[in-house]
Amino acid sequence: MDLSGNVCGCGLGVSFSRCGRFWDKFQVGTTNIPIAIGLILMMYPPLAKVRYEELGGVFRNYKVLGLSLIQNWVIGPILMFLLAIAFLSGYHEYMVGLILIGLARCIAMVIVWNDLASGDREYCAGLVAFNSIFQVLFFSIYAYIFITVLPPWLGLKGMAVKITIGQIAESVFIYLGIPFIAGVLSRLIGLKTLGRKWYEEKFVPKISPITLIALLFTILVMFSLKGEYIVQLPMHVVRVAIPLFIYFVVMFFVSFYLSMKVGATYEQSTTLSFTAASNNFELAIAVAVAVFGVNSGQAFAAVIGPLLEVPVLISLVNVALRFKKKCFPYALRPQPGSAMFHTSHEETVY
């Protein structure tokens, strides 16, 4: 058994090594061109779907917006930072990769989880738009603080990473700014020239598959480059996966509890919880690859994220639907419209 396992492992390692050498031909500095193209393409469709014109409605609901801010930009980053230190203090590159994941708030797959759990689509779109803008403006600053500034303050001198705001800002602009601008322009021009019906019923369905195709392509390339290490170091995958799993579960349940405490509806609670529990792995991978290189431990940690998120978040969708039956019986009644701006349970009963 041990011999056959070793032979199989060696065979996979050799295969991955050959694939890795092929993709290395497209390397320019720390940037791998195929991966860069894949990352930009996967970010464009979700950003083109966002209803930017409805942002004003989200901003008017101060209570729920404030809770979303706390969940996404205070609790989430701090929790992942603490988990990274607790589980990966001896693996500095993995630790930084995990911190980057915690700082990248979800703007893509959360739409899928929210829809499966019957959350509020319009409110989800508004939060996605808000997080998109917030990431463009503040991700660089957050990354600099959590990766370079905070570790030495906690006496973790060996974990300090010499990275400038400019380096991260450049990566954020390329991998988030470019698709963000393209998404905004697509929506504005599409709605103005051909109308909402054409844009949402014709254009959006055509570009939607790009995200999944680009994500699968990017993961394929990255695992071709990193697959040899995964085969050789399976426990490192587990080491990164454990804090990620804890993060998903804790963020989801804490967010759902806090949402209920402020009087949010089931639809709002679901949207807030999945927005807080999910992460923008595309951005985390992009920044890790651009700043540290495709063969870095940071990129290795970042690419584990989406592989774990899918099964965990699908399970949490079922948990949310159970909450709906037990804690929000009113939500089981047919509802003719969105509960986007409702803040009390009674208001959603028709």
Side-chain angles (χ1 to χ4, degrees):
M1 178 67 74
D2 291 342
L3 178 61
S4 61
N6 289 334
V7 171
C8 182
C10 290
L12 288 171
V14 171
S15 301
F16 280 126
S17 179
R18 290 175 179 174
C19 292
R21 285 196 293 270
F22 171 76
W23 294 114
D24 278 336
K25 296 178 182 178
F26 304 96
Q27 192 79 14
V28 178
T30 59
T31 302
N32 184 280
I33 302 303
I35 290 179
I37 293 173
L39 290 167
I40 293 173
L41 286 177
M42 80 170 71
M43 296 291 288
Y44 168 67
L47 290 168
K49 295 177 186 178
V50 173
R51 300 177 180 179
Y52 298 98
E53 65 275 12
E54 295 184 2
L55 269 179
V58 176
F59 292 144
R60 283 196 295 270
N61 196 332
Y62 301 113
K63 182 186 293 185
V64 180
L65 177 62
L67 179 58
S68 177
L69 271 173
I70 294 173
Q71 292 170 332
N72 281 284
W73 297 101
V74 178
I75 298 176
I78 292 176
L79 176 60
M80 189 70 89
F81 178 77
L82 295 176
L83 288 172
I85 291 176
F87 286 88
L88 300 170
S89 59
Y91 300 83
H92 300 170
E93 291 187 351
Y94 297 164
M95 183 199 75
V96 172
L98 207 66
I99 292 173
L100 282 175
I101 292 174
L103 300 179
R105 311 316 302 165
C106 192
I107 64 170
M109 289 302 291
V110 64
I111 297 174
V112 177
W113 312 132
N114 181 74
D115 195 55
L116 291 174
S118 301
D120 192 309
R121 293 178 180 177
E122 280 66 42
Y123 192 72
C124 183
L127 288 183
V128 164
F130 179 77
N131 279 339
S132 300
I133 295 172
F134 209 88
Q135 280 184 119
V136 171
L137 297 176
F138 298 108
F139 183 86
S140 302
I141 299 173
Y142 264 68
Y144 182 74
I145 292 173
F146 278 90
I147 294 175
T148 304
V149 176
L150 288 183
W153 285 6
L154 298 176
L156 305 171
K157 296 181 180 179
M159 297 182 188
V161 178
K162 293 183 179 179
I163 179 174
T164 66
I165 292 180
Q167 287 176 294
I168 299 176
E170 181 181 355
S171 300
V172 172
F173 174 76
I174 293 174
Y175 296 105
L176 182 57
I178 291 177
F180 176 78
I181 293 171
V184 172
L185 290 177
S186 295
R187 186 164 188 86
L188 291 177
I189 296 173
L191 292 180
K192 187 174 183 180
T193 58
L194 295 170
R196 181 182 295 271
K197 182 174 178 148
W198 174 88
Y199 187 85
E200 297 188 348
E201 295 182 8
K202 300 289 185 181
F203 181 71
V204 168
K206 286 184 178 180
I207 65 172
S208 292
I210 295 176
T211 295
L212 181 58
I213 294 171
L215 176 60
L216 292 175
F217 170 76
T218 303
I219 292 176
L220 174 64
V221 175
M222 292 200 70
F223 267 84
S224 296
L225 291 165
K226 307 294 292 184
E228 185 177 359
Y229 299 102
I230 294 174
V231 172
Q232 295 174 355
L233 304 169
M235 289 308 297
H236 285 228
V237 177
V238 175
R239 190 179 296 275
V240 174
I242 290 174
L244 275 173
F245 176 81
I246 294 173
Y247 174 86
F248 293 142
V249 174
V250 171
M251 284 300 295
F252 177 82
F253 283 101
V254 169
S255 298
F256 221 106
Y257 174 77
L258 292 176
S259 300
M260 292 174 62
K261 291 295 287 184
V262 300
T265 64
Y266 167 78
E267 292 78 13
Q268 291 174 336
S269 299
T270 298
T271 300
L272 287 166
S273 299
F274 280 108
T275 303
S278 305
N279 292 89
N280 184 356
F281 291 103
E282 299 89 344
L283 178 59
I285 293 172
V287 173
V289 169
V291 176
F292 302 103
V294 69
N295 292 314
S296 66
Q298 290 87 342
F300 176 87
V303 81
I304 300 301
L307 299 179
L308 182 65
E309 182 189 39
V310 174
V312 174
L313 269 294
I314 286 178
S315 299
L316 291 177
V317 166
N318 292 322
V319 172
L321 293 174
R322 286 179 178 272
F323 282 169
K324 182 177 183 179
K325 292 180 179 179
K326 292 184 177 181
C327 305
F328 300 89
Y330 65 90
L332 298 177
R333 300 186 183 184
Q335 298 183 15
S338 167
M340 182 173 180
F341 303 121
H342 296 155
T343 55
S344 67
H345 296 176
E346 292 78 12
E347 291 176 333
T348 56
V349 178
Y350 292 95

